[in-house]
């Protein structure tokens, strides 16, 4: 870092290791060898890649860009076997590593050994720029691939099953086998190919595997030369969707308002876990509600559930208990037959009718000291507001008890004047189920007189 003001500060090698090695080159204005190595060829000839990670050290556009070339020669004869041509390394701001190289075919050469060169070819008469860093030089054989599939005869990259499943894994060479004594190892990933692990005992070109737990699994074949495992190829990854239908248990409320028929539109919540995201728009489902009693259409979702009407409670009587009805809904994915069911509960509320007084006397004499909507506690989640004649909110409550809904005639601890006040009530479930109030878009309101 800080070698020259015109150079990038490069804190780490290409791998990100601050203690790793890389080569820094202040190149000459003549052809120079950056790197060279003698390489023995494998027994069989294939396509190869000669490459490196490089970076232009200049942090501005005033210098000349490095130009490099990769060359391959027959070690014995000195004949040129392949060249990348000239590769210019542009300035990047901020600094970036760039992979450069070329691929070449040695199928027709009789060479046993080759000599590879990475060279600087920039003529640099101005002697400004042509500065670079080099890392991770690689000379790698490009072996013909091995193909993984769920079928022994055709290419099948995906399979789908419900809950658990056994899959047959097949691998095949599309052309020449690159190894004299090939060995095989199937690998498995359960995190979308981020990490891979060997499948125990899966060392044949074909293998059968059982997945006892739902999830998304990937498999690939690693084939290698028995005598040298560093020479290997990896197949394509194939994906096994072990899917699972999930239906949530739910509870819905239905209200019988002054003897009305308790009706609820009940939508089951479901999902096909570990399904193929590419098929999301093509997935179809069927539904079956049971028992079918009280259900208009037991094969639809949502279901319309119409329940028996309970007796109308007396507004001056005690609170009425709820009535519970349990149903079951079975959801089936018709594409693959994955199915599941769960309980869907309807709780029928039997609230008393609400009455709101028109006056109260907050004199703390134990008689009519608070103002509240009587029976509003039968409607959990309802709201009660009181305003003065100027529209200022003096009191707000969402319950849930009768005491919570009671206004004592004060605002911020100060007793309010004898006057006319406006109240408003939002009744959950039965919006207008009260005596003698004006209905304002489903929110009844009225007046109350505070008397002292």
């Amino acid at each position: 870092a800080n070698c020259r003001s015109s150079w990038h500060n490069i804190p780490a090698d290409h791998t990100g290791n601050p203690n790793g090695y890389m080569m820094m080159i202040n190149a000459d204005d003549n052809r120079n060898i950056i790197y060279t190595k003698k390489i023995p060829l494998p027994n069989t000839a294939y396509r190869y890649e000669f490459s490196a990670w490089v970076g232009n050290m200049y942090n501005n556009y005033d210098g000349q860009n490095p130009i490099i070339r990769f060359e391959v020669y027959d070690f014995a004869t000195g004949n040129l076997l392949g060249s990348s041509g000239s590769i210019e390394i542009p300035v990047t701001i901020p600094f970036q590593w760039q992979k450069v190289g070329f691929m070449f075919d040695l199928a027709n050469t009789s060479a046993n050994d080759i000599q590879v060169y990475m060279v600087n070819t920039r003529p640099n008469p101005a002697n400004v720029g042509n500065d670079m860093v080099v890392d991770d030089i690689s000379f790698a054989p490009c072996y013909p691939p091995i193909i993984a599939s769920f079928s022994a005869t055709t290419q099948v990259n995906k399979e789908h099953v419900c809950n658990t499943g056994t899959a047959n894994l097949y691998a095949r060479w599309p052309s020449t086998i690159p190894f004299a004594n090939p060995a095989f190892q199937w690998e498995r990933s359960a995190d979308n190919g981020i990490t891979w692990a060997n499948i125990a005992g899966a060392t044949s070109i074909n293998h059968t595997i059982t997945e006892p737990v739902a999830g998304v699994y990937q498999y690939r074949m690693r084939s290698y030369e028995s005598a040298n495992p560093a020479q290997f190829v990896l197949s394509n990854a194939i994906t096994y969707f072990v899917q699972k239908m999930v239906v949530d248990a739910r509870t819905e409320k239905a209200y019988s308002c002054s003897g009305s028929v308790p009706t609820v539109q009940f939508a089951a919540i479901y999902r096909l876990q570990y399904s193929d995201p590419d098929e999301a728009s093509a997935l179809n489902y069927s539904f079956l509600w049971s028992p079918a009693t009280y259900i208009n259409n037991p094969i639809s979702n949502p279901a319309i559930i119409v329940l028996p009407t309970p007796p109308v409670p007396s507004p001056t009587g005690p609170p009425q208990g709820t009535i519970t009805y349990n149903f079951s809904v079975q959801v089936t994915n018709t594409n693959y037959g994955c199915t599941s069911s769960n309980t869907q509960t309807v709780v029928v509320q039997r609230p008393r009718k609400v009455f709101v007084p028109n006056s109260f006397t907050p004199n703390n004499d134990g008689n009519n000291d608070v103002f509240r909507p009587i029976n509003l506690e039968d409607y959990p989640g309802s709201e009660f507001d009181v305003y003065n004649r100027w529209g200022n909110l003096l009191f707000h409550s969402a319950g849930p008890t009768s005491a919570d809904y009671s206004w004592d005639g004060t605002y911020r601890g100060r007793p309010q004047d004898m006057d006319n006040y406006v109240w408003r009530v939002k009744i959950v479930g039965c919006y207008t189920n009260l005596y003698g109030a004006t209905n304002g878009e489903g929110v009844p309101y009225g007046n109350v007189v505070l008397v002292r």
Side-chain angles (χ1 to χ4, degrees):
N2 301 310
C3 287
R4 288 183 176 174
S5 61
S6 60
W7 284 357
H8 284 293
N9 291 327
I10 305 171
D13 70 1
H14 167 247
T15 67
N17 183 356
N19 297 315
Y21 292 104
M22 58 183 169
M23 181 189 294
M24 178 186 291
I25 301 165
N26 184 355
D28 199 356
D29 55 359
N30 296 304
R31 172 191 168 96
N32 281 170
I33 297 172
I34 297 172
Y35 174 85
T36 184
K37 185 176 179 66
K38 176 185 176 183
I39 299 176
L41 293 180
N43 293 333
T44 8
Y46 300 103
R47 180 169 287 269
Y48 295 85
E49 180 187 51
F50 186 18
S51 66
W53 286 87
V54 300
N56 190 321
M57 290 178 60
Y58 253 61
N59 60 18
N60 58 71
Y61 300 98
D62 296 336
Q64 292 181 314
N65 293 331
I67 297 179
I68 61 176
R69 187 166 64 237
F70 296 86
E71 299 172 348
V72 180
Y73 294 85
D74 185 320
F75 181 79
T77 65
N79 294 331
L80 179 66
L81 301 177
S83 170
S84 67
S86 296
I87 301 173
E88 186 168 353
I89 313 302
V91 170
T92 56
I93 302 174
F95 174 81
Q96 292 181 357
W97 288 98
Q98 307 162 62
K99 184 180 180 181
V100 295
F102 82 116
M103 299 183 71
F104 57 97
D105 194 345
L106 294 182
N108 298 319
T109 183
S110 59
N112 294 319
D113 302 304
I114 59 174
Q115 190 81 20
V116 298
Y117 291 92
M118 182 178 176
V119 297
N120 159 53
T121 63
R122 159 66 77 183
N124 190 22
N127 197 26
V128 176
N130 198 22
D131 305 327
M132 72 190 96
V133 283
V134 179
D135 197 8
D136 293 338
I137 300 170
S138 172
F139 182 82
C142 302
Y143 295 115
I146 188 169
I147 297 174
S149 175
F150 288 110
S151 169
T153 57
T154 60
Q155 186 64 48
V156 179
N157 291 322
K158 297 179 181 180
E159 274 203 353
H160 308 77
V161 73
C162 299
N163 301 319
T164 63
T166 297
N168 294 316
L169 311 179
Y170 300 93
R172 58 186 173 85
W173 300 100
S175 56
T176 307
I177 300 175
F179 308 123
N181 296 291
F184 305 97
Q185 176 63 63
W186 283 97
E187 298 178 344
R188 174 182 180 272
S189 174
D191 56 9
N192 198 32
I194 297 174
T195 59
W196 293 87
N198 291 343
I199 301 174
T203 56
S204 300
I205 195 167
N206 301 322
H207 182 70
T208 299
I209 187 169
T210 298
E211 298 291 356
V213 178
V216 180
Y217 305 97
Q218 290 184 302
Y219 314 106
R220 70 183 184 187
M221 164 63 75
R222 176 188 291 267
S223 182
Y224 56 92
E225 174 58 55
S226 297
N228 183 9
Q231 295 183 20
F232 68 89
V233 292
L234 291 172
S235 75
N236 56 300
I238 56 178
T239 307
Y240 196 30
F241 296 92
V242 185
Q243 306 165 118
K244 180 181 180 180
M245 178 61 71
V246 176
V247 181
D248 293 342
R250 293 192 60 209
T251 298
E252 286 281 353
K253 293 178 181 179
Y255 287 85
S256 178
C257 306
S258 296
S260 64
V261 177
T263 302
V264 63
Q265 180 173 285
F266 207 135
I269 297 177
Y270 60 92
R271 57 200 170 276
L272 184 61
Q273 285 186 324
Y274 312 116
S275 59
D276 187 344
D278 294 336
E279 296 185 344
S281 61
L283 295 176
N284 298 294
Y285 301 90
S286 65
F287 308 90
L288 181 61
W289 293 78
S290 62
T293 309
Y294 311 130
I295 298 179
N296 283 357
N297 186 356
I299 61 171
S300 67
N301 189 54
I304 306 299
I305 302 175
V306 182
L307 298 168
T309 303
V312 179
S314 168
T316 59
Q320 301 297 300
T322 59
I323 303 174
T324 299
Y325 295 86
N326 287 319
F327 300 89
S328 176
V329 62
Q330 177 178 284
V331 183
T332 301
N333 170 254
T334 56
N335 304 80
Y336 301 106
C338 305
T339 187
S340 184
S341 62
N342 214 328
T343 301
Q344 313 293 301
T345 301
V346 179
V347 177
V348 177
Q349 306 281 338
R350 297 186 289 167
R352 297 164 293 178
K353 200 165 185 178
V354 176
F355 173 75
V356 183
N358 58 15
S359 65
F360 74 118
T361 58
N363 298 320
N364 295 322
D365 59 1
N367 185 26
N368 202 26
D369 286 331
V370 295
F371 171 56
R372 64 180 176 85
I374 298 169
N375 299 331
L376 188 58
E377 65 272 17
D378 287 8
Y379 306 82
S382 296
E383 297 181 44
F384 179 51
D385 299 316
V386 180
Y387 302 84
N388 63 18
R389 65 171 60 246
W390 295 281
N392 298 319
L393 179 65
L394 305 180
F395 177 77
H396 171 80
S397 176
T401 67
S402 175
D404 293 322
Y405 286 120
S406 300
W407 181 46
D408 63 0
T410 66
Y411 177 62
R412 294 183 177 176
R414 296 179 59 183
Q416 297 301 290
D417 295 335
M418 187 169 67
D419 203 347
N420 192 49
Y421 295 85
V422 177
W423 58 264
R424 186 176 69 169
V425 63
K426 296 180 181 179
I427 303 178
V428 172
C430 302
Y431 304 110
T432 59
N433 196 28
L434 80 168
Y435 295 100
T438 303
N439 177 26
E441 298 181 354
V443 183
Y445 60 92
N447 298 298
V448 61
V449 178
L450 188 157
V451 180
R452 291 192 186 277

